[in-house]
Structure formats: structure tokens, C-alpha cells
Amino acid sequence: MVVASLGLSLTAASMVGTAPSSAAVRAPLTMTAAEAPADDVLLAGQSDIIVERFVLRAGREGMTVDTLSFQNCLTGSTKDYDGDCADTDETAGNDDAIAQIALLYNDGTYDRKSRGTIVDGVATFQNLSLALSAGVDAPVSLRIATAAIDSSTVTSGDQFQLNLNALTLPFHAVTTRHATVIDETSVKKNVIGSVRTLRQTLATLTLSSTAPAVTINDDWSEAFRVDVSATSTGAATLNELTLALDIVNNGGGNWNTCPFLGASTDHYSLVNVATGIAVDATWDVYDVDGTACSEENDDAVGYFHITFTTPESIAADTTVTYAFYLDATYANTTAHDILRVSIPEEDDADLPSGVHAIVWTDGVSTDDIDGTEIDSLPVVGNLLTF
């Protein structure tokens, strides 16, 4: 464990915490997690990221905290009751993924910053002057810089989770009035943080500004347009993509059913807008309930799952636009059928079993990454009327 040095932060982060509880506080100290602004997926080589916020609250007597400890232990959403990071589903996070770490807090007058490092899964900050007034929330934040991916100590997909451990790791405070020492044996709290995943680049999907809007023709028509981008830190590859169809068939025809629309690629296509060429891919078509389409299944088409024959490459800091076309020759323009095409969220309960909203890689890893690491989902297309 490393002792952190104490310094004054001239540009300290906001110390806004959660609203105080109305319940009477009987324990000498309570600790809770507060929402941090960081995304679950972080880019390698970035700095000044607030990854965790915790709120400390003194009970009937104020105190000054001089020692806080944080443990890098992956527990997911499960509380590590004994703080050993050795039980089922508990594993150590990668310390090397964190290049720098600092604790931000307020001493009652000024915002302060204490720098530290993580050794053997633990960062202990000592010589603090964290002031806790009785019954008042005192937020603390952890600010980090992520390490560069080097394929040896730090690889794409590495994870860490910083938990405030005042159960098995050093905690020390002294009460203001009675000078009573409060340590981890008194607090007995282990407050979990959030799992963070490190990637070389991130893929972003957005509805194109040139996407079809308002009306659509009853013929071979473009129904959806999406921009796929990679961050400036590296290329991304697009391996699979799922499109969800929401159709209101006011005319009562069968143009949107599995035997017609889902019959073959003669009725649908995905085109790279820049080249004007349809992508080479395998298409799996499902009805609205997620059942595979067939000639015997006359339900409406609900999903197109696209597996690219050769993964589509998205160069660093660039955008590739794709347009989805379908055969709406028999859509009813008198009754005004309605269509919306979207890319669903990864956890969409209506997705067919085993099908992902998207599968991609980040350019330095061969591991398939699904839509859980893309915050821009769902991509909802415009409502189109025939």
C-alpha cells in the first residue's frame, strides 16, 4: 500500500453529492456510492476521468478523516461482504490499467487533491484532512488517468473496479468533540464502485442527418441510414448488425411478411453510401416474435440480422454511412402503411435468442464486442408514412 501525498487542487472537480437522508444517523459514520460521470467503457491513454464518487456522512458527532483505502476488486453489482476479493465471482482488477489516481475532497474550507498509486490492488490515501460535519454529506471523488494499451501488462478489455473499503483496509478518523478514534473495525463498510472496461477505440452509431424522413415510396426504397464512427484513438471493425422493423400495416396486405419481404435479398439490401455498393453479407430474417422466418411462417418481419462476409473497417476518426433498402412495392399508400427501422439496444428483450444488436472489434483485439459497450444504442429511425 502506498501513502498518498497531499496537495491543493486549483481546479478541483465538483463536490456535489447526493441529498441527505432524512433518517436519523445512529452509526458513527455511513458511506454510500454516488453516481460518477464516467462511462462504463473508457479509452486507453485518457486523463482527468472521474470514475467514482462516494458520500461519507458523520453521525451525531463530526470528525476529520485522515486515511481512506480503495480496493481494485471486480465484484460486479454484488457486494463483497468480507472484503477479501477472493469469493466466487470476485477477482482482482488490473492495477496497470490505471496510470494515475487522485482523491478529490474538501477539508471544510478548500477543495483538496491527494495523489496516490495502486499497489497489490490497494490505494491507501493518508494524511488527509477530510472534514465531516455531523449529519452532512461529504462527497469524495476518484480521478484517474488510464494507461496505454501495450498488449503485455495492459490489453484491450482489461477491467478495474475501485471500491471504498473500510472493512479490511485502513481507515482512520478522529471525532471533533471527544477525539474518539474511528477505524475500519468501527465502520465495517465496503462500498462497491462500478466496473470499468478499457478499450483502444469506441464505435458510435447515430442516425444519419440524411436519413429518410416523413414519407417513403411504395417501391424499392431507402428506409434507414446510419453513421458508424470510430474514435481518433484507433480503428474499429463492424462484424454483425441487427435492424429492427416496426410496421403498421394499415392496408392489411402481406408485403411485410416473412414469405414476401423475408424471402430473399431481392427484397432488402444494405449499401455503403460512399461506394454505392451493397455489402457482402449473410442475412438472417426473423419475425416480430424473434422466430426465424420461413415460407410457412406468415408473420410480419421483425428483424434483419446481418453478418458481414468480410468485417467492415471503420478507420480511426472517420465515419462510414450505411443505407438500408427494402422492397415496399405493395405497401398501401391509400391506407398509409407506416414504417420505422431501428438498431435496438443490446439488452432489448425482443431480440431473437443469441442475436446481438451489433458485434464489433476495437482494432487491437480479436475479441468480439457486443452492443453493451456502445452507449449510443438504440438508433431509432424516423417514422415513415407511405
Side-chain angles (χ1 to χ4, degrees):
M1 296 178 290
V2 174
V3 176
S5 61
L6 182 64
L8 179 64
S9 173
L10 299 179
T11 57
S14 171
M15 291 296 170
V16 177
T18 55
S21 170
S22 59
V25 179
R26 297 184 179 275
L29 175 71
T30 60
M31 302 189 306
T32 56
E35 184 175 356
D39 293 328
D40 293 338
V41 183
L42 304 177
L43 289 173
Q46 305 297 300
S47 59
D48 297 330
I49 307 169
I50 303 295
V51 290
E52 298 298 343
R53 282 194 174 124
F54 299 96
V55 176
L56 284 71
R57 181 182 172 94
R60 296 176 179 176
E61 184 176 358
M63 63 184 71
T64 299
V65 178
D66 60 63
T67 303
L68 283 175
S69 298
F70 299 87
Q71 185 177 32
N72 183 11
C73 178
L74 301 173
T75 67
S77 60
T78 304
K79 184 175 180 179
D80 183 8
Y81 286 99
D82 54 13
D84 64 354
C85 198
D87 299 325
T88 302
D89 298 328
E90 296 173 2
T91 185
N94 185 2
D95 295 345
D96 292 326
I98 303 172
Q100 299 174 9
I101 186 170
L103 179 70
L104 309 179
Y105 68 98
N106 191 278
D107 67 0
T109 304
Y110 299 105
D111 289 342
R112 298 270 181 174
K113 176 175 67 178
S114 179
R115 296 184 178 93
T117 55
I118 300 179
V119 176
D120 295 331
V122 175
T124 294
F125 297 87
Q126 295 180 325
N127 300 322
L128 304 174
S129 54
L130 171 59
L132 305 184
S133 299
V136 178
D137 288 353
V140 300
S141 300
L142 286 175
R143 188 173 70 188
I144 71 160
T146 55
I149 290 175
D150 58 15
S151 300
S152 56
T153 59
V154 183
T155 61
S156 176
D158 281 349
Q159 295 181 314
F160 61 88
Q161 177 181 334
L162 298 172
N163 309 315
L164 175 53
N165 186 327
L167 176 63
T168 60
L169 297 179
F171 175 92
H172 191 272
V174 178
T175 62
T176 305
R177 185 172 53 181
H178 295 100
T180 302
V181 172
I182 307 295
D183 62 15
E184 63 274 14
T185 63
S186 305
V187 180
K188 298 180 180 179
K189 291 281 187 179
N190 188 26
V191 186
I192 65 171
S194 298
V195 177
R196 311 293 180 185
T197 302
L198 198 64
R199 293 293 182 190
Q200 179 63 37
T201 191
L202 294 177
T204 302
L205 286 75
T206 55
L207 185 68
S208 175
S209 61
T210 56
V214 185
T215 60
I216 183 172
N217 296 325
D218 56 334
D219 53 20
W220 180 259
S221 298
E222 181 182 346
F224 181 69
R225 186 174 288 206
V226 62
D227 294 334
V228 184
S229 307
T231 56
S232 60
T233 53
T237 58
L238 184 61
N239 303 338
E240 301 175 27
L241 188 66
T242 297
L243 302 176
L245 273 65
D246 186 9
I247 298 175
V248 179
N249 194 336
N250 291 320
N254 67 348
W255 70 271
N256 65 320
T257 62
C258 284
F260 180 77
L261 182 59
S264 73
T265 52
D266 291 339
H267 297 284
Y268 45 84
S269 179
L270 187 70
V271 174
N272 183 317
V273 172
T275 65
I277 299 173
V279 300
D280 187 11
T282 299
W283 293 70
D284 295 306
V285 188
Y286 300 87
D287 67 17
V288 291
D289 296 321
T291 302
C293 275
S294 66
E295 290 185 2
E296 293 75 28
N297 180 356
D298 60 0
D299 288 340
V301 171
Y303 298 93
F304 288 105
H305 178 245
I306 307 163
T307 303
F308 298 97
T309 304
T310 301
E312 295 281 301
S313 179
I314 316 295
D317 203 23
T318 65
T319 298
V320 177
T321 302
Y322 296 94
F324 171 65
Y325 290 81
L326 55 71
D327 184 358
T329 302
Y330 298 104
N332 195 307
T333 57
T334 301
H336 299 301
D337 291 345
I338 298 172
L339 166 69
R340 191 197 299 272
V341 181
S342 303
I343 300 173
E345 290 183 294
E346 182 65 32
D347 60 358
D348 189 322
D350 294 328
L351 270 175
S353 177
V355 172
H356 297 284
I358 183 175
V359 176
W360 63 288
T361 60
D362 72 348
V364 298
S365 171
T366 58
D367 295 338
D368 286 342
I369 309 169
D370 63 26
T372 57
E373 295 192 14
I374 297 182
D375 291 335
S376 56
L377 296 180
V379 180
V380 180
N382 295 315
L383 195 66
L384 306 176
T385 301
F386 291 95

